[in-house]
Amino acid sequence: MNPVGIITASAGSGKTYRLAEELFNAVSSGEARPEAILATTFTVKAASELKQRVRAKLLARGRSAEAERLAAARFGTVNAVCERLVSDYSFELGLPPGMAVLDEAVGDRIVKRVISSVLTREEDDLAARLDHAFGEWKWQEVVGNLISLARSNGIGPDALPEFAERSREGCLALLGEPEADGAGIERSFVEAAERFLKEYPSLGDTTGTTRGVVDKLTGRIRTLRNGQPIPWSEWATTASAAVGKGSRDAFAP
């Protein structure tokens, strides 16, 4: 087996030039067959540049045969090279010939479709409510990340429920016991907000700040009256809302 050589270099220090020299020397000396080269890079641009440099050096030295054979070499990103290997050797691997490495966008769409296909109607409704409550939570992306992390760490599906239970217990321990039921909090909020809105016209508060709070309260009451939840971010902004001096006592509840 050939020894492994490690070359460390910073950005812009000539890594591609050095790799091109190494490959050219290996091909021109007969140490490596051009069509047997496998080179992976982080970007498509880097892979193309590396291949073109080696080919140009071979042509410049009159080695047109080796330059032509270099077309069969595997230069590309890790995904591209692996996709080609799977495609070329699908029969030997016992895989369909149309197998390919999915790009990130296609992979995300497939994961979301699979997740949606296994949810019950109740779970789907709960997920939608949580998504609305958290705002930018995007639960499907969270589940997709969990699947990816489980695969990377060799965690099988049978072990995942235990991890889920440990996470649930840890979260509940941090949150503590609820001080009141959610429906009770919503009723109290609506009642207090409606009392304030009823009193507001007689307070003589004409500030724009209070007017903005009144408009938001009106919308949130309407949302709750229609049986829809308010996102947590709106609860937080309501709790910390500031009104004009003339309305502070009435707004405090």
Side-chain angles (χ1 to χ4, degrees):
M1 178 179 289
N2 293 330
V4 176
I6 298 176
I7 302 171
T8 59
S10 58
S13 58
K15 293 188 294 298
T16 304
Y17 177 84
R18 173 65 183 273
L19 287 171
E21 286 287 328
E22 294 281 346
L23 287 174
F24 169 76
N25 291 335
V27 171
S28 59
S29 67
E31 182 181 356
R33 292 178 291 118
E35 63 275 12
I37 291 173
L38 187 154
T40 61
T41 60
F42 287 110
T43 66
V44 174
K45 181 181 178 181
S48 177
E49 182 180 356
L50 178 60
K51 187 173 184 178
Q52 290 303 320
R53 287 192 182 188
V54 178
R55 187 171 183 276
K57 290 181 70 69
L58 289 170
L59 289 172
R61 303 295 176 86
R63 295 181 173 273
S64 57
E66 287 91 340
E68 184 176 348
R69 290 165 61 193
L70 195 67
R74 294 179 175 87
F75 286 77
T77 61
V78 174
N79 276 1
V81 170
C82 290
E83 179 179 358
R84 184 172 172 184
L85 289 172
V86 169
S87 176
D88 290 349
Y89 298 100
S90 57
F91 181 78
E92 290 85 347
L93 294 170
L95 299 173
M99 290 286 289
V101 178
L102 298 179
D103 62 38
E104 188 173 345
V106 175
D108 287 343
R109 287 199 298 270
I110 291 176
V111 168
K112 289 179 180 179
R113 187 163 65 242
V114 171
I115 292 172
S116 298
S117 70
V118 298
L119 289 181
T120 64
R121 181 179 293 277
E122 291 75 16
E123 290 169 336
D124 195 42
D125 290 342
L126 174 60
R129 292 200 302 272
L130 290 174
D131 206 10
H132 178 74
F134 280 98
E136 295 298 322
W137 185 42
K138 298 181 180 178
W139 65 272
Q140 289 181 324
E141 292 185 8
V142 175
V143 175
N145 289 336
L146 288 174
I147 294 172
S148 178
L149 288 170
R151 292 180 61 190
S152 299
N153 289 278
I155 301 172
D158 293 339
L160 285 177
E162 180 183 349
F163 283 89
E165 181 61 23
R166 286 168 53 188
S167 295
R168 188 186 71 84
E169 291 176 355
C171 288
L172 290 178
L174 291 173
L175 292 172
E177 292 296 325
E179 298 177 4
D181 67 289
I185 292 175
E186 290 179 353
R187 285 194 300 270
S188 298
F189 169 77
V190 170
E191 292 170 1
E194 288 182 334
R195 285 197 302 270
F196 171 72
L197 293 179
K198 185 176 181 180
E199 188 177 354
Y200 167 68
S202 64
L203 298 175
D205 186 348
T206 59
T207 61
T209 300
T210 305
R211 182 69 255 175
V213 172
V214 167
D215 291 342
K216 290 179 179 178
L217 279 180
T218 303
R220 287 163 189 169
I221 290 173
R222 186 184 306 113
T223 298
L224 291 172
R225 287 292 190 194
N226 290 334
Q228 300 297 318
I230 292 178
W232 290 7
S233 59
E234 293 190 16
W235 281 106
T237 56
T238 302
S240 60
V243 295
K245 184 176 180 180
S247 300
R248 289 175 187 170
D249 291 341
F251 184 74

